[in-house]
Amino acid sequence: YITNNLRMSNVLFIEISVEEDGGNSAVSYKEDGGRFAETQTIKLSVDTKYSIRISCKEELKTQDMLLNGEAIYMEPKPPAPDSDPSLKVYEGRFSTDKVDKTKKAKRDVVALQIPLQYSLLVALQCKYYTLKKKKSTSWGETLKNVVVNYKEEEGVEGTKCVVSSVKCRKIMPR
């Protein structure tokens, strides 16, 4: 049971990119409309290494974030020169080596447990493609970041972080 006693509203940004020999390359997402639980799907490949970056105003309580139950070390990084200098930035790596491709007309959920003052659970809707279908992962919009709005709520069981919205943002052409 959670009351509507809102203490503060916050936002964090999640960036995901493919790690390649020459650096990182972009990840895509697509608009799914109302066909699935969420309206947007992030497109990932199996057997691939990824970089994940979290930017927020709040420091992480520990430097381990959970991605589908697996711990990922999140290394503190300085904010980008063109961003808000008060942002706390953390970067980690994950692999989809043991992930199966998503079945046709289905979507998978990637669960991120982010250790803020109160743990924040973010569910990202994804579709995993085989490396043979790598071209399919680039169809759609180029992902700039995922904007997660969350709030802290007081309830009978104490204070919790609750996600209020998750939205993919695209890279705008120059």
Side-chain angles (χ1 to χ4, degrees):
Y1 175 73
I2 297 176
T3 67
N4 287 329
N5 188 5
L6 181 65
R7 286 188 26 190
M8 69 201 280
S9 192
N10 291 301
V11 65
L12 65 83
F13 304 95
I14 301 170
E15 297 169 45
I16 302 171
S17 57
V18 180
E19 288 189 358
E20 296 181 322
D21 292 336
N24 290 353
S25 66
V27 168
S28 295
Y29 74 95
K30 70 178 196 165
E31 297 289 338
D32 274 328
R35 298 184 309 147
F36 301 102
E38 302 297 330
T39 59
Q40 297 174 316
T41 299
I42 298 171
K43 303 171 108 186
L44 303 173
S45 294
V46 299
D47 301 321
T48 304
K49 291 185 180 3
Y50 289 93
S51 174
I52 185 165
R53 190 176 187 97
I54 305 283
S55 303
C56 54
K57 295 275 187 179
E58 200 175 323
E59 286 190 30
L60 299 185
K61 276 177 63 175
T62 70
Q63 288 183 289
D64 283 335
M65 176 180 78
L66 295 179
L67 187 141
N68 286 343
E70 286 191 40
I72 297 175
Y73 174 73
M74 299 299 286
E75 183 178 355
K77 297 284 185 181
D82 60 343
S83 71
D84 180 347
S86 69
L87 283 177
K88 311 292 186 257
V89 179
Y90 300 88
E91 190 173 295
R93 282 151 189 63
F94 70 96
S95 172
T96 57
D97 288 345
K98 297 176 184 170
V99 176
D100 294 326
K101 76 174 183 128
T102 305
K103 292 181 180 175
K104 189 174 182 174
K106 300 286 183 192
R107 296 294 180 265
D108 290 310
V109 172
V110 172
L112 298 175
Q113 190 168 348
I114 303 169
L116 300 172
Q117 181 177 354
Y118 305 101
S119 185
L120 177 66
L121 181 62
V122 178
L124 301 177
Q125 182 169 282
C126 296
K127 182 163 184 171
Y128 294 100
Y129 294 87
T130 63
L131 293 177
K132 290 180 191 173
K133 300 238 179 188
K134 192 168 177 81
K135 195 172 186 179
S136 296
T137 61
S138 62
W139 295 340
E141 303 289 347
T142 304
L143 180 67
K144 177 178 181 177
N145 56 29
V146 179
V147 180
V148 179
N149 287 291
Y150 66 96
K151 58 190 174 229
E152 292 177 7
E153 291 183 347
E154 298 257 359
V156 174
E157 297 157 6
T159 304
K160 291 183 178 183
C161 274
V162 179
V163 172
S164 50
S165 70
V166 176
K167 185 80 174 155
C168 293
R169 287 197 317 182
K170 65 182 174 179
I171 293 177
M172 301 304 279
R174 292 181 184 235

